[in-house]
Structure formats: structure tokens, C-alpha cells
Amino acid sequence: MTNEARTTTGPDGELSTEHPVDPRAIAITGLTTLAWYAVPDVVRHRGARALLKTGVLVAGGVLSTTSTIEGRRAREAFGSLRETLPADPTADPAVSVPEREEPDADTTGRGRETGPSPVAIGAATLGVVAGSVALAVAGEKWLYRRGERLRARGTRLPHTRVALASAVVAGALAALEPFAWKGAERFGTPR
């Protein structure tokens, strides 16, 4: 198995990219998840746990950015974006703000594409983000309570046991992620 994406030509002549499973991404995701949820076994003080979890999150992010295929792609995209932007947009007279096109005088609405309003898109996005955050917080609380119940029963390293199960699930999801994008592309949803 290769760790680089391959571009192939399909039967219809279109180019497609095969998304490989990146073992580094799986390992980093699993180990970061394990460390994140095992922290209460290492540090009992809530403030110290928050500090340690921040360190775990930063380390996982740095490792993902520097060691994985997706991290390399993100760095390349950022680099190419930086190359397209001038150092000081006000100093370059060739760079100007494009003039806004006025809509047609057509009052019937024919010929113009309509879609959701920016307000509707913003509200939907805010709703999805709020829902995701609420779900994540509820999941975090549930996992913590599960570890505390195991601790109350006298289980040794209770949060680490919960962390191991969570790490396996996170690693499996990381392994399936490339196939999810491949399925989305099949249904016309661009990545």
C-alpha cells in the first residue's frame, strides 16, 4: 500500500484521485484520542487537566500537519495561496478590487440563478456548528462519567480503559475517512 494519492483515468476519460489510507494519520488520531481521554488518570486537578489536554491537542495537530498526507496537502495549499497574494495589496496598483456587477434589469427573475440567501446559509452553518459542539460536549461528559463510574467500582486506570475504546473508534474512523471522500465524489460532492 502506498501513502501517496494516485491519479488515474477512469473509463469515461475523467481524472480521479484515489485516496490512500495513511497509517500515520490513523496512528496520530488514535494516540491523540488515547492521550486526551486518559488525562484524568494522570492529573486529577481540573485546571491542570485542561492545560494537559491543550498540550495533547497541540501536539496532535502539529504531528498531523507535519507527518500526514492531508497535512502535506494543507501546507502546499497554504503555500500556493500565500504565493498568489501580494505582500502589500495597497502598494501594488495592478491589484484592485473587482467592480461589482449590477444585476440585470430583468424583473421577471428568468435567466438568473436563485439559491439560498446568505442569511439562510449563515443560519444553517451556525446551527450545524452549534449542534456539533453540543454533541461533542455531551459525548465528552458521558465518557468522563463512564470513567468516574469505573473508578468508583475500584477499576484501575478507568479513564485509560475508556480512552483505549475511544482510540480504537477514532482510528477506525480515520481509516475509513478516505473512502467517505471517495463516496462523496461518486455522488458529485466535490472535496
Side-chain angles (χ1 to χ4, degrees):
M1 170 181 5
T2 178
N3 287 331
E4 296 298 321
R6 292 186 315 197
T7 302
T8 58
T9 305
D12 54 358
E14 289 190 24
L15 292 176
S16 67
T17 303
E18 294 177 22
H19 298 283
V21 174
D22 187 354
R24 292 169 297 221
I26 296 168
I28 292 168
T29 300
L31 291 172
T32 301
T33 303
L34 175 66
W36 177 271
Y37 289 112
V39 164
D41 285 340
V42 178
V43 178
R44 295 289 297 156
H45 186 266
R46 190 175 189 167
R49 275 198 319 259
L51 187 61
L52 189 55
K53 282 188 168 192
T54 301
V56 166
L57 191 62
V58 168
V62 167
L63 284 172
S64 292
T65 304
T66 59
S67 306
T68 65
I69 293 170
E70 288 296 321
R72 179 182 49 79
R73 288 182 185 154
R75 288 190 322 271
E76 288 171 358
F78 182 73
S80 65
L81 177 65
R82 284 182 55 193
E83 290 172 6
T84 62
L85 298 174
D88 182 9
T90 58
D92 188 0
V95 177
S96 63
V97 177
E99 291 187 27
R100 186 174 168 189
E101 291 184 23
E102 293 298 321
D104 297 340
D106 181 8
T107 58
T108 63
R110 287 179 279 153
R112 282 190 254 152
E113 290 185 33
T114 60
S117 72
V119 172
I121 292 171
T125 302
L126 185 60
V128 168
V129 169
S132 298
V133 168
L135 231 105
V137 168
E140 289 277 330
K141 286 181 177 183
W142 182 82
L143 288 170
Y144 181 78
R145 284 192 308 265
R146 179 75 182 140
E148 288 300 300
R149 279 195 297 267
L150 289 172
R151 182 186 306 279
R153 286 190 217 154
T155 304
R156 203 170 151 206
L157 300 174
H159 291 280
T160 302
R161 290 177 186 227
V162 171
L164 281 169
S166 300
V168 168
V169 171
L173 290 173
L176 293 174
E177 186 266 342
F179 302 105
W181 286 116
K182 193 171 187 175
E185 289 169 356
R186 185 176 309 136
F187 293 108
T189 307
R191 183 173 184 186

